[in-house]
Amino acid sequence: MNTTYSQFIDGASTSNANSETWINYNPANNKPLGEVSQASDEDIEAAVRSSERAFHIWKNKTGAERGRVLIKAAQILRSRLEEIALIETNDVGKPIFESLAVDVSSAADALEYFGGMAATIHGEFVDLKNAFGYTRPEPLGVCAGIGAWNYPIQIAAWKAAPALACGNAMIFKPSELTPATAIELAKAFMEAGAPPGLFNVLQGDGKVGARLVDHPGIAKISLTGSVSTGKKIFTSAASQLKRVTLELGGKSPLIVFEDADIHNAVSAAMLANFYTQGEVCSNGTRVFVQRKIFDSFLMQLKNRTEKIRIGDPTDPETQMGALISKVHMEKVNRFIESGKSSGATLLTGGVRPKKDFKGRDISSGNFVTPAIFTNCDDSMEICKEEIFGPVLSILSFESEEEVIDRANNTPYGLAAGVFTNDIKRGHRVIHQLQAGTCWINNFNITPIELPFGGYKQSGQGRENSLAAIQYYTQLKSVYVELGNVESPY
Ligand code: NAD
């Protein structure tokens, strides 16, 4: 255990001998990976001062100059893809095939997308006859990014890329459970030519997050996390009227009509529940299947789910890894027990495997086999609460009107999916679902070009796409007189 996860402030790792520390464990075997040190108040002050200095340099650069740094940082991430993917897999417990194909690549995609866009961010000209006006989208200042543990480098890059493209600086606090790859992103920015402090990293738990939210030097907060943390941050930011973007949890519906391509719909239901061990905010954990195809859908789903290769996350053939922590695994197990005791039938999975698909001992890791519950009722806890683990609840329905009502009967509104070969029905149903991110005939696809975010209690604001720019800029209107001042005095 040689690794120390320290703060990254003003372009370098810093250590504070007096700080509180904790051990970061590998979820696949619960062996220590390294020691994390909690940012002190002095670290927070140093990070804010350093980011303010960087902001004054960065905001005066042209968009093209900023874009070049972001695109270079993306190239650095891609050149270190395998190394960073392995760090992520060891830190999070997710299979290496995912970290290679999605996590690091999607972080690089965001840097390229917003790097390419930086030079095009512009205001409007308004002709006013004897005057004219124009607008300037100006940066906000030093923004705080606060991350969840399921997609650490992707979350850091999805926040940093638009923030920096718009001319802001960012202090990023990763989850206390996944301290590793935000530092790799910070190093990539430095190597790409960013001024020191443009992207600082502070390690720590919610106390460090709360101090950042309250700090008068922070102009805006972007959180990816749970609804309860989102509410705390929203309340606290309101006292200083700070801007917030909140990417929160969900209990999303996936609706499969009887005319759907069943093979594709089953693939989507599995992706929507078992990718990243089910630890995905937008997961379609309520799978509504129309009565006529229910039995055949369920049989195919069960057969294919039982073939998922669970095991050592560093093996390229592994399809499902370990849950983030023992505490989280116990929480997921409590939900599975709650499903059983409320009368649902656990059709398959939901147990701790001792051996992986190659017969290796995985009993010390946080593994839970993918679980399918049938005979469910909308009012059961497993159908209402976000489990954030590999637990799928399947529900049958008869009519379109009925399923729309049931799908919307939740305080969440992050995502929704519909499977049908009837193009009119696909759009008609999607337009009535109360969710910010929707798919027709697929699920959990999040291209950087499309806005991502939630309705209702699943969030505020949007990440990705052109839409993200408005959340990292403030609009200045300038009126320019070409005539005389008309005065009644
Ligand atoms: P969490 O809310 O416990 O923690 C998220 C982050 O907030 C962590 O960095 C934590 O240290 C910090 N934090 C906690 N209390 C804080 C406070 N009072 N002030 C400031 N910061 C505070 O969430 P988690 O367990 O890390 O992540 C799982 C949750 O994240 C799930 O609900 C999931 O749905 C959600 N999530 C949402 C998205 C999305 O894009 N919508 C993506 C991934 C995860």
Side-chain angles (χ1 to χ4, degrees):
M1 192 188 78
N2 300 321
T3 312
T4 305
Y5 307 96
S6 47
Q7 325 311 324
F8 193 94
I9 302 173
D10 217 37
S13 296
T14 64
S15 57
N16 178 342
N18 299 325
S19 76
E20 193 189 314
T21 60
W22 67 94
I23 305 292
N24 185 35
Y25 292 98
N26 182 336
N29 50 30
N30 283 306
K31 289 193 181 141
L33 288 168
E35 193 173 66
V36 196
S37 56
Q38 170 105 334
S40 63
D41 287 350
E42 297 76 53
D43 291 329
I44 296 171
E45 278 310 313
V48 173
R49 280 197 305 274
S50 145
S51 287
E52 281 170 348
R53 284 192 299 273
F55 171 61
H56 289 295
I57 299 168
W58 188 245
K59 71 174 184 188
N60 290 319
K61 293 199 180 290
T62 65
E65 287 168 330
R66 294 199 287 258
R68 276 199 288 276
V69 173
L70 267 63
I71 289 168
K72 182 87 193 293
Q75 288 160 354
I76 293 165
L77 290 189
R78 290 199 194 280
S79 71
R80 296 182 55 210
L81 176 75
E82 293 188 358
E83 179 200 345
I84 299 174
L86 185 59
I87 298 174
E88 197 77 309
T89 278
N90 286 329
D91 207 16
V92 183
K94 61 172 66 191
I96 189 77
F97 97 88
E98 287 188 19
S99 315
L100 285 168
V102 174
D103 296 72
V104 185
S105 313
S106 143
D109 286 353
L111 294 168
E112 281 158 358
Y113 179 84
F114 287 103
M117 189 198 286
T120 73
I121 298 169
H122 63 274
E124 285 181 328
F125 170 84
V126 183
D127 190 355
L128 299 166
K129 283 201 178 165
N130 278 333
F132 67 89
Y134 63 94
T135 58
R136 282 169 54 84
E138 295 186 346
L140 303 170
V142 179
C143 302
I146 301 178
W149 43 258
N150 58 341
Y151 280 83
I153 195 162
Q154 178 187 288
I155 291 171
W158 280 18
K159 296 186 188 311
L164 270 45
C166 294
N168 303 284
M170 175 163 272
I171 300 177
F172 187 78
K173 190 202 83 64
S175 164
E176 54 274 38
L177 299 174
T178 50
T181 47
I183 300 173
E184 302 308 317
L185 181 61
K187 287 183 195 161
F189 280 130
M190 285 305 295
E191 203 183 321
L198 187 68
F199 183 79
N200 285 325
V201 178
L202 291 176
Q203 305 289 357
D205 58 16
K207 293 195 285 296
V208 174
R211 281 195 208 115
L212 271 175
V213 173
D214 281 342
H215 197 293
I218 299 293
K220 182 223 161 86
I221 304 104
S222 176
L223 165 79
T224 296
S226 60
V227 171
S228 67
T229 302
K231 286 178 181 171
K232 282 184 207 152
I233 288 181
F234 207 15
T235 306
S236 158
S239 67
Q240 295 176 55
L241 286 179
K242 286 185 187 178
R243 287 150 203 258
V244 293
T245 296
L246 301 173
E247 294 288 353
L248 310 177
K251 189 76 192 173
S252 300
L254 166 58
I255 302 171
V256 183
F257 285 98
E258 60 192 24
D259 67 335
D261 177 322
I262 296 194
H263 183 81
N264 277 333
V266 169
S267 301
M270 293 169 72
L271 281 168
N273 282 277
F274 305 135
Y275 206 75
T276 313
Q277 305 76 242
E279 298 163 325
V280 180
C281 52
S282 50
N283 268 357
T285 45
R286 292 182 294 146
V287 180
F288 293 96
V289 180
Q290 204 158 16
R291 174 73 66 201
K292 204 167 145 197
I293 57 161
F294 187 85
D295 292 341
S296 112
F297 183 96
L298 190 58
M299 192 184 69
Q300 293 186 40
L301 179 66
K302 178 176 181 288
N303 288 343
R304 289 176 60 188
T305 297
E306 286 171 348
K307 292 195 182 93
I308 289 178
R309 296 191 294 269
I310 189 165
D312 176 1
T314 61
D315 184 330
E317 289 175 39
T318 295
Q319 294 174 320
M320 199 168 144
L323 296 173
I324 187 71
S325 66
K326 275 187 182 164
V327 172
H328 186 59
M329 178 179 63
E330 279 154 18
K331 184 180 150 201
V332 171
N333 284 335
R334 274 199 300 280
F335 275 113
I336 292 171
E337 289 311 313
S338 151
K340 289 196 261 183
S341 62
S342 62
T345 306
L346 182 58
L347 190 65
T348 186
V351 294
R352 288 190 67 185
K354 293 200 168 49
K355 304 264 183 215
D356 82 351
F357 69 105
K358 286 188 177 165
R360 292 169 290 215
D361 182 356
I362 52 166
S363 54
S364 57
N366 312 322
F367 294 90
V368 174
T369 56
I372 301 173
F373 273 107
T374 185
N375 292 323
C376 297
D377 185 280
D378 294 356
S379 64
M380 289 175 180
E381 191 188 30
I382 54 165
C383 299
K384 285 165 57 181
E385 303 290 325
E386 183 186 45
I387 302 175
F388 223 53
V391 183
L392 179 159
S393 297
I394 185 159
L395 302 135
S396 69
F397 72 92
E398 301 284 349
S399 75
E400 188 178 308
E401 296 69 30
E402 169 207 340
V403 79
I404 291 168
D405 275 355
R406 289 169 63 192
N408 285 336
N409 188 17
T410 167
Y412 297 112
L414 187 55
V418 172
F419 268 77
T420 176
N421 277 324
D422 177 343
I423 191 169
K424 290 182 192 159
R425 173 156 64 189
H427 293 286
R428 186 170 68 230
V429 174
I430 280 289
H431 294 182
Q432 293 175 80
L433 293 176
Q434 296 159 357
T437 308
C438 295
W439 300 277
I440 298 177
N441 293 335
N442 212 327
F443 208 91
N444 269 353
I445 307 295
T446 54
I448 191 72
E449 295 88 346
L450 269 178
F452 183 82
Y455 281 13
K456 301 198 278 189
Q457 293 199 18
S458 289
Q460 293 276 331
R462 290 292 177 271
E463 290 193 318
N464 298 347
S465 80
L466 277 170
I469 298 302
Q470 67 175 289
Y471 298 103
Y472 284 103
T473 51
Q474 49 195 340
L475 210 53
K476 178 174 282 176
S477 299
V478 183
Y479 176 98
V480 183
E481 181 60 66
L482 297 177
N484 292 322
V485 174
E486 282 185 22
S487 170
Y489 312 113

